[in-house]
């Protein structure tokens, strides 16, 4: 700070640090939660390391964004993401994407998988556990943040090795998977028709575990259980909140993700 006068503060920037974006990039497609849980889902996903959050108007969503509610809803999500990014001291705020219906989401999945990204749909009848999906071997697309193709040993002269050409277009120079998309359904779950459309477009169904999770917490739990740290380091707890109590609500109203 160099000068302060009435209503004016002048400062000089002496140091600037460029913080690279996280690797791999993580997109959360979030089925619209009910009322106050909508912003909570965004806050938790942001603090867990999501780089992009896309609202999804799924068939079974209780909440409906129509007309002016679309812009209002996206604005609330952007504000929640900004506040959560500040809270967690993130250098980059997650992008809030445009609202998608199920048909548009299927097209997005097709585009992302064609580019080499891995798209995982959280579902109670998932074919494999989420943790296994993100640590799958090279024949399944490669683990996130790890080589997606067999890496050739470094030459004796110390020059860079290379990867096989099947590393995929959405991989970095070292053949590591650079993008993953996690799809979280609404309170009512993902319909059979939606599931068929998404898997037909290239997505995989995965299950987080035996627990019954709310749609507002599923994305954060998924990121916490993944085999990579989206932000490149351990999370830091800056404050302590009272633990959530078991409300004894009917678990059938909260489908297992």
């Amino acid at each position: 700070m160099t000068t302060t006068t009435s209503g004016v503060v002048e400062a000089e920037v002496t140091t600037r640090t460029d913080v690279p974006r996280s690797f791999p990039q993580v997109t959360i497609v979030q089925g619209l939660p009910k009322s106050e849980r909508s912003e909570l889902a965004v806050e938790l996903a942001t603090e867990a390391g999501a780089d992009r959050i896309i609202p999804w108007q799924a068939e079974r969503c209780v909440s409906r964004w129509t007309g002016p509610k679309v812009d209002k809803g996206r604005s609330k999500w952007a504000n929640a993401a900004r506040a959560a990014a500040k809270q967690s001291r993130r250098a980059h705020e997650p992008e809030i994407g445009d609202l998608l219906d199920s048909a548009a989401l299927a097209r997005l999945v097709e585009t992302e998988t064609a580019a080499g990204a891995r798209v995982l749909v959280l579902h109670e009848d998932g074919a494999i556990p989420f943790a296994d999906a993100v640590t799958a071997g090279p024949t399944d697309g490669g683990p996130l943040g790890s080589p997606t193709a067999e890496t050739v040993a470094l030459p004796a002269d110390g020059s860079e090795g290379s990867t096989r050409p099947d590393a995929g277009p959405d991989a970095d120079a070292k053949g590591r998977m650079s993008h993953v998309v996690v799809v979280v359904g609404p309170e009512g779950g993902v319909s059979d028709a939606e599931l068929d459309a998404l898997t037909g477009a290239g997505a995989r169904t995965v299950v987080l575990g035996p627990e019954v999770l709310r749609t507002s917490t599923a994305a954060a739990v998924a990121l916490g259980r993944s085999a990579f740290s989206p932000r490149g380091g351990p999370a830091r707890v800056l404050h302590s909140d009272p633990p959530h109590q078991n409300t004894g609500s009917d678990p059938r109203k909260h489908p297992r993700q």
Side-chain angles (χ1 to χ4, degrees):
M1 189 177 300
T2 58
T3 307
T4 59
T5 59
S6 179
V8 177
V9 176
E10 294 183 0
E12 179 182 355
V13 178
T14 58
T15 304
R16 174 174 174 172
T17 302
D18 291 328
V19 179
R21 290 193 174 274
S22 59
F23 186 90
Q25 289 283 290
V26 178
T27 293
I28 300 295
V29 177
Q30 176 66 60
L32 299 181
K34 293 185 294 186
S35 58
E36 74 281 353
R37 294 191 175 277
S38 187
E39 284 100 306
L40 176 62
V42 174
E43 291 172 1
L44 295 178
T46 299
E47 293 181 1
D51 299 289
R52 181 171 60 152
I53 305 173
I54 299 176
W56 173 29
Q57 186 74 74
E59 292 179 9
R60 297 176 178 174
C61 283
V62 175
S63 177
R64 313 300 297 183
W65 286 7
T66 56
K69 289 185 177 181
V70 176
D71 290 338
K72 183 178 180 180
R74 291 187 69 246
S75 178
K76 286 184 176 181
W77 280 29
N79 291 336
R82 182 173 301 111
K86 291 179 179 179
Q87 158 69 35
S88 54
R89 299 183 182 177
R90 290 187 54 174
H92 303 281
E93 296 177 12
E95 171 194 349
I96 303 300
D98 292 332
L99 176 68
L100 300 181
D101 59 18
S102 295
L105 177 56
R107 292 193 294 271
L108 174 68
V109 170
E110 187 173 9
T111 299
E112 293 289 357
T113 54
R118 184 168 300 178
V119 182
L120 307 175
V121 182
L122 303 185
H123 193 270
E124 60 181 333
D125 294 327
I128 56 175
F130 179 82
D132 291 347
V134 298
T135 55
T139 56
D140 293 324
L144 303 178
S146 301
T148 59
E150 181 181 347
T151 302
V152 179
L154 289 174
D157 61 4
S159 59
E160 288 286 341
S162 60
T163 58
R164 284 168 35 192
D166 58 352
D170 198 12
D172 70 356
K174 296 182 180 180
R176 296 177 299 177
M177 179 68 66
S178 61
H179 189 201
V180 60
V181 180
V182 180
V183 180
V184 182
E187 285 89 355
V190 182
S191 72
D192 291 342
E194 289 171 328
L195 202 59
D196 289 343
L198 296 178
T199 54
R204 307 177 187 181
T205 57
V206 296
V207 63
L208 276 178
E211 300 89 351
V212 176
L213 299 177
R214 294 181 185 273
T215 184
S216 54
T217 59
V221 172
L223 291 179
R225 290 185 179 178
S226 60
F228 61 94
S229 174
R231 297 178 57 202
R236 291 179 292 175
V237 179
L238 303 182
H239 62 87
S240 178
D241 291 328
H244 293 289
Q245 300 297 320
N246 186 342
T247 61
S249 58
D250 186 347
R252 290 172 298 178
K253 295 182 180 178
H254 310 294
R256 186 171 65 196
Q257 300 287 346

